[in-house]
Amino acid sequence: MAIALGLTLFLLLLASLFVGVIDISWAALGSDPEALQLMAISRAPRTIAVVISGGALAVSGAIMQMLVRNRFVEPMTAGTGQGAALGILLVTLYAPAASILVKMVLASVTALASGAGFLAIVHRLPPTQPLMVALVGLIYGGIIGACVTFVAYQADLLQYVEIWMNGEFSGVLQGRYELLWVVALVAGLCYLAADQFAIVGMGRTASINLGLNYTQTMILGLLAISVVTALTVVTVGMIPFVGLVVPSIVARLSGDNLRHSLPLTAMSGAALVLASDIVGRLVRYPYEIPVGTVFGVIGAVLFLWLLYAPKRHAS
């Protein structure tokens, strides 16, 4: 599975570098300085941004599913993404001249607060009804998103907020995506703590009996999710369903060993988002459809498949 994913991702990387309004060939890269400049300024940064965003969102979704102990939740549909958008909106209203670093910090704080609120609600739900967690997450995220939309409408910032609520990579250029390297670093650190997150997924009592600091691990996981979500929203906007469907599909195919499945989850998320971005560039060529819209359609189909497909027990 890892070899197949790696090969697929490599082919998609090549396709992404050479798909666009301006045609670029391998020969042109060696002889045309403008083609090489276009590759360095636009195509390569965009491809890197897509890969990091897709992989990190899939990883954060897997971590959140462990923290909540439910396969039907993810940061972008359970309030964390909407909380990050709320932070960006607050900065825009009260400190419009603030730097991107200030936006990042406040978006992370509001994402962390909204994620903590969701966890507090979920822990009061009956464990015998897992679909209630997904439903509550959608309602919770919808309420926060509605508040963001209402405030933006009152402040005549609705069109501005829509940019953050629908992820797209057409504006990614050299110098405008580098924050995503922090996202990649956080996702990599999550892999180092994969065993701890897997133990948390067994529940509070089992985690404490196994000697794990349950509260500290929960805080670290929530902090990682918040940083990944906030920086992704700040840089490219919200991309729904990545953290929902990708970890669930990988778990069905490769099992629940988080240390084994987390790299596969990252590669799968990167490949699916990259494929969606390429489709978005080709469907209405030379115009583009935002990747959030394309993946929203794909994610909805995959989510229905997860609900109705028979379970496969992997080793």
Side-chain angles (χ1 to χ4, degrees):
M1 184 176 176
I3 295 174
L5 281 173
L7 180 60
T8 301
L9 185 57
F10 177 72
L11 294 176
L12 289 171
L13 283 169
L14 292 179
S16 177
L17 291 174
F18 292 95
V19 171
V21 178
I22 301 176
D23 292 329
I24 300 178
S25 64
W26 283 105
L29 290 178
S31 58
D32 187 355
E34 292 186 359
L36 190 61
Q37 186 180 28
L38 176 63
M39 184 67 70
I41 293 177
S42 177
R43 298 283 176 83
R46 176 172 184 157
T47 301
I48 294 171
V50 174
V51 170
I52 293 176
S53 299
L57 287 176
V59 168
S60 66
I63 301 302
M64 188 172 199
Q65 290 173 6
M66 285 294 172
L67 299 184
V68 180
R69 302 176 65 192
N70 191 287
R71 289 290 181 188
F72 297 104
V73 297
E74 65 124 2
M76 292 296 180
T77 59
T80 309
Q82 291 82 359
L86 177 62
I88 297 171
L89 178 62
L90 293 176
V91 172
T92 305
L93 286 174
Y94 299 108
S99 65
I100 191 70
L101 180 62
V102 175
K103 291 182 179 180
M104 176 196 75
V105 172
L106 187 55
S108 299
V109 170
T110 52
L112 180 64
S114 59
F118 176 66
L119 288 178
I121 295 173
V122 165
H123 284 165
R124 297 178 178 271
L125 297 176
T128 56
Q129 300 183 21
L131 292 181
M132 272 192 70
V133 177
L135 181 61
V136 169
L138 290 172
I139 295 172
Y140 179 72
I143 291 173
I144 298 177
C147 293
V148 171
T149 302
F150 176 76
V151 174
Y153 175 77
Q154 295 294 322
D156 197 21
L157 291 172
L158 192 58
Q159 187 174 7
Y160 177 78
V161 168
E162 286 298 321
I163 298 174
W164 308 108
M165 303 298 281
N166 195 9
E168 56 95 22
F169 294 91
S170 61
V172 174
L173 297 171
Q174 187 180 41
R176 294 184 58 184
Y177 80 101
E178 281 74 12
L179 277 176
L180 292 177
W181 288 111
V182 179
V183 173
L185 176 62
V186 173
L189 293 176
C190 286
Y191 176 74
L192 299 179
D195 294 335
Q196 285 82 358
F197 293 133
I199 294 173
V200 166
M202 300 170 64
R204 181 184 181 90
T205 303
S207 301
I208 294 175
N209 289 337
L210 290 172
L212 182 71
N213 190 325
Y214 179 81
T215 303
Q216 177 180 312
T217 306
M218 288 285 288
I219 293 174
L220 288 176
L222 189 57
L223 183 62
I225 293 169
S226 302
V227 171
V228 169
T229 304
L231 293 189
T232 304
V233 172
V234 167
T235 308
V236 299
M238 292 176 59
I239 308 174
F241 292 116
V242 179
L244 173 64
V245 300
V246 175
S248 299
I249 292 174
V250 173
R252 281 178 179 266
L253 297 177
S254 66
D256 292 323
N257 185 337
L258 195 62
R259 182 167 292 279
H260 169 70
S261 65
L262 215 55
L264 300 177
T265 300
M267 286 193 292
S268 300
L272 280 173
V273 175
L274 193 55
S276 300
D277 184 52
I278 294 172
V279 170
R281 287 185 247 176
L282 295 175
V283 169
R284 293 192 61 199
Y285 184 88
Y287 305 103
E288 290 191 22
I289 298 176
V291 68
T293 302
V294 177
F295 199 93
V297 175
I298 296 174
V301 174
L302 292 176
F303 182 64
L304 292 174
W305 175 76
L306 288 172
L307 289 176
Y308 291 105
K311 291 184 179 180
R312 172 179 173 176
H313 297 283
S315 58

